[in-house]
Amino acid sequence: VGAAILAKVERGEWPHDKFMALMEAALTRADDRALFDLPVRPENSQGGQ
């Protein structure tokens, strides 16, 4: 599923800003957020995931 969504973004079929907004809202784990250069959420900065 992830590859299909990323392919749509790369082909311009889904706006990058909407994709990033989805990732911002959905990703909570620090390592997942790092994949998209998103800041660590304060509630996860003390090692909680």
Side-chain angles (χ1 to χ4, degrees):
V1 172
I5 291 171
L6 285 173
K8 283 191 163 290
V9 172
E10 289 173 2
R11 290 190 305 258
E13 297 172 6
W14 202 29
H16 185 261
D17 60 333
K18 289 188 180 200
F19 170 74
M20 291 304 293
L22 175 65
M23 294 298 97
E24 173 64 42
L27 299 178
T28 58
R29 293 177 23 163
D31 56 340
D32 292 336
R33 293 180 65 81
L35 291 171
F36 298 97
D37 294 323
L38 295 170
V40 175
R41 289 187 176 171
E43 64 268 18
N44 294 334
S45 63
Q46 298 297 321
Q49 293 187 16

